[in-house]
Amino acid sequence: MVRLPADEGELRSMVAHGLLDEGHSVELKRQLPPGKAANVELAKDLCQFTIDGGVLIIGVDEGDGKTPPSLTPVDLAGLPERIEQVAATRIDEPLRVRIRTIRTAGQPDKGYVLVIVSPTPSRIHKVDGCYWARGERTRYVLSDAEVRRYHQLVSQGQRDAASLLDAEVRRDPAAAVGLQAHAHLFAIAQPVGADPDLLDRVVGGAGPRGWRQFLYGEVLDGAAGRPLTNPWSPDLPEIGDPSRRARGWALRSSRMGPGRDVEVAGSDPLNSRIDVERRLLDLEVNEDGGLRLFCGGASHTLRGDGECVIDGLVIGLTKRMVLVAETIANTTEWLGSWDFGIAVTGLRGLTSLHLAQHQQEWLAAPFSEEECRETVRATYERVVKDPDGIITDLTGRLNRALGGSAPIPR
C-alpha cells in the first residue's frame, strides 16, 4: 500500500512529485456526490480493495491522463461518518475501514479523507450480489471461478494456522537440549495475508534502533506489558535484551541465547541448581507482524501435590499475545484478520495449580492426553473489542479439563 501523507503539505508534495497516482492499491476521487447511487458506488470502491488492501483518497482529482492529479479539498462535515455507515450497511459482510482526515490550512471545515482498507483474505465481500476486485487501475466483478478459488484459499488459511503451530512445537528449544521436565507452552499470532514486511515497513526505517524502540516502547511499556491480576512468572515484562532473528526480532529471558538456543548451566554448582527450563520465555516479533512465543515453565512441581499445570500462566501469556497483536495491528493500521493458536505439551497426568493453591484438589482431574492444541481466526474488531473471548476460545477446553476455575487476568 502507498505511503500515506501526514498533512496537506506532504500530500501536496506527493502529488507534485508524481508519487500519488491511481494504481492497484490507490483510487483518487475528486469528491463524493450525495445520494443513494453514490453510496452504492462508494461501497463498490471499498469492496474492491478487500482482497489485496488499498486506500481511497477523496479530495484529489485523478486527472485525465494528460493532466496530473490535483488537490480539490472537500467539505469534511459528516463525510467520515457517511463512509463508515456505507461500509457497515452496504457491503456484505460489513467492512471495517480506517479513516484519516487532513484539514486544509486556513479552512478547517475543508480537507481530504483517506479511507484505508486492509485485506481480509479470510472472507471476500460483495455489493449488489457481486464480488468486487481491483485490477491495475479499475474495479471489476469476480468470476465464479475466481470466487471459488478465494474460498479455497480461506480453507487453506485455516489449515495453515495449525501448520504454524506444528512448526513451533517441532522447534522446541528446550527439548533440543534435553530439558523436558515441565510442560511447555507455544503460541502463535499471524496477520492473515499480510505483506512480508508489514511491520518492518513501519518500524524498521530507523534500523535496529526503530525495532528496539518499538519492542520497548510499544510492547513492553505499552498495553501488552501492563501489570495484570494474578501475576505469574516468567512473564513478558520480565524479559528484554532484543536480538535479531531470521524473520524479525525477539525478546528473551536470561537463559535464552540470541539465536534461540538455550544456555544450559555448566559445571558451576550454583548454576546447576537453577531450574533453567521453567524460567525460559521467548517472544519473536517477525517483520510481517507475526508472533511466536515459547515458555518452558507451563507447569511446576509442588511439594506434596506433584507436577501441576500453571493454568494462570498459560491463560495470562495467551492474553499477552492477543494484546501484542492488537499493538501491531494499530501500529501498522492492519484491519485484517488474525490467526491465533496455542499448544501445551507434556500435560498427561498433570493437574491444576490454581485448584491446588486454593485447596480444591478434589475438583482437579489429571489431564488425560499428552498435549492440548487450539486455533482460532479473529477479526480486527474482535481483537480490539473482545480479546478475552479469543483467550477463552484458545484456553477454555484446557481450563475446563483441569477443573475450569482459572480466571482470565485483568
Side-chain angles (χ1 to χ4, degrees):
M1 195 180 298
V2 67
R3 180 177 64 85
L4 300 179
D7 53 37
E8 188 181 35
E10 189 173 351
L11 177 62
R12 191 180 304 278
S13 176
M14 291 177 69
V15 170
H17 290 87
L19 301 177
L20 197 64
D21 290 318
E22 285 201 327
H24 181 65
S25 61
V26 178
E27 178 161 350
L28 306 177
K29 272 190 176 299
R30 178 183 180 88
Q31 61 181 348
L32 186 59
K36 293 182 179 180
N39 287 344
V40 173
E41 291 302 305
L42 172 61
K44 294 175 183 178
D45 288 336
L46 299 177
C47 193
Q48 68 181 334
F49 288 126
T50 58
I51 293 176
D52 295 324
V55 58
L56 174 66
I57 303 179
I58 302 171
V60 178
D61 190 330
E62 68 272 22
D64 58 6
K66 296 180 181 179
T67 59
S70 58
L71 302 187
T72 56
V74 298
D75 290 328
L76 296 177
L79 189 53
E81 293 78 8
R82 177 185 173 189
I83 295 169
E84 287 184 344
Q85 185 72 9
V86 167
T89 61
R90 295 279 183 172
I91 300 175
D92 183 21
E93 299 177 8
L95 181 65
R96 182 182 179 91
V97 297
R98 178 166 296 195
I99 298 175
R100 283 188 185 179
T101 58
I102 296 176
R103 298 187 181 276
T104 300
Q107 292 181 287
D109 58 332
K110 288 184 173 291
Y112 317 88
V113 178
L114 284 63
V115 189
I116 303 152
V117 182
S118 286
T120 56
S122 59
R123 59 193 185 281
I124 53 178
H125 304 258
K126 58 185 176 180
V127 178
D128 279 356
C130 296
Y131 295 99
W132 297 86
R134 185 164 177 88
E136 188 56 35
R137 294 176 64 89
T138 59
R139 67 176 188 243
Y140 66 93
V141 177
L142 287 171
S143 67
D144 291 342
E146 288 175 308
V147 172
R148 286 194 297 271
R149 182 169 66 87
Y150 281 113
H151 283 306
Q152 290 170 354
L153 290 175
V154 170
S155 298
Q156 179 63 45
Q158 292 168 344
R159 293 193 294 271
D160 286 347
S163 297
L164 290 176
L165 201 54
D166 289 342
E168 290 309 298
V169 173
R170 287 195 300 270
R171 67 193 285 252
D172 185 335
V177 292
L179 297 178
Q180 294 179 285
H182 301 297
H184 294 173
L185 168 66
F186 307 84
I188 64 113
Q190 186 67 34
V192 181
D195 290 339
D197 62 347
L198 174 71
L199 182 57
D200 187 65
R201 191 169 59 222
V202 177
V203 305
R209 182 178 62 183
W211 273 94
R212 288 175 179 272
Q213 288 175 343
F214 173 74
L215 293 173
Y216 278 120
E218 301 299 325
V219 176
L220 294 180
D221 292 339
R226 64 180 172 84
L228 294 173
T229 56
N230 305 313
W232 63 90
S233 183
D235 192 11
L236 195 61
E238 301 172 14
I239 64 176
D241 198 11
S243 59
R244 179 70 204 188
R245 295 279 173 84
R247 293 179 175 84
W249 286 72
L251 296 166
R252 54 200 173 88
S253 60
S254 60
R255 289 287 174 166
M256 186 70 71
R260 206 171 181 267
D261 51 316
V262 177
E263 299 171 350
V264 182
S267 58
D268 184 339
L270 178 62
N271 287 336
S272 65
R273 294 196 297 270
I274 296 176
D275 189 349
V276 173
E277 181 183 1
R278 72 181 183 87
R279 289 176 170 81
L280 292 174
L281 181 59
D282 187 83
L283 174 67
E284 289 183 338
V285 182
N286 294 337
E287 291 184 349
D288 64 359
L291 302 171
R292 306 291 185 268
L293 180 140
F294 166 75
C295 178
S299 68
H300 184 48
T301 304
L302 290 183
R303 189 175 302 171
D305 291 297
E307 189 80 1
C308 295
V309 179
I310 310 178
D311 25 15
L313 176 147
V314 172
I315 296 171
L317 286 178
T318 301
K319 179 159 187 170
R320 295 282 192 205
M321 284 285 282
V322 177
L323 293 175
V324 176
E326 180 184 355
T327 298
I328 291 173
N330 291 332
T331 299
T332 61
E333 297 186 330
W334 173 259
L335 303 182
S337 297
W338 285 79
D339 279 335
F340 294 97
I342 70 161
V344 187
T345 61
L347 283 172
R348 186 182 296 276
L350 304 191
T351 55
S352 164
L353 176 65
H354 182 79
L355 292 178
Q357 289 176 329
H358 290 79
Q359 298 181 341
Q360 294 178 311
E361 294 90 338
W362 58 278
L363 291 173
F367 201 76
S368 59
E369 297 181 2
E370 180 61 24
E371 60 182 50
C372 180
R373 300 191 188 197
E374 297 289 348
T375 62
V376 64
R377 178 163 289 180
T379 63
Y380 168 80
E381 186 169 13
R382 194 175 181 213
V383 170
V384 172
K385 295 184 177 180
D386 185 31
D388 286 359
I390 299 172
I391 295 154
T392 298
D393 289 345
L394 293 169
T395 64
R397 181 166 67 89
L398 176 62
N399 200 16
R400 291 190 299 272
L402 293 172
S405 64
I408 296 175
R410 306 292 179 184

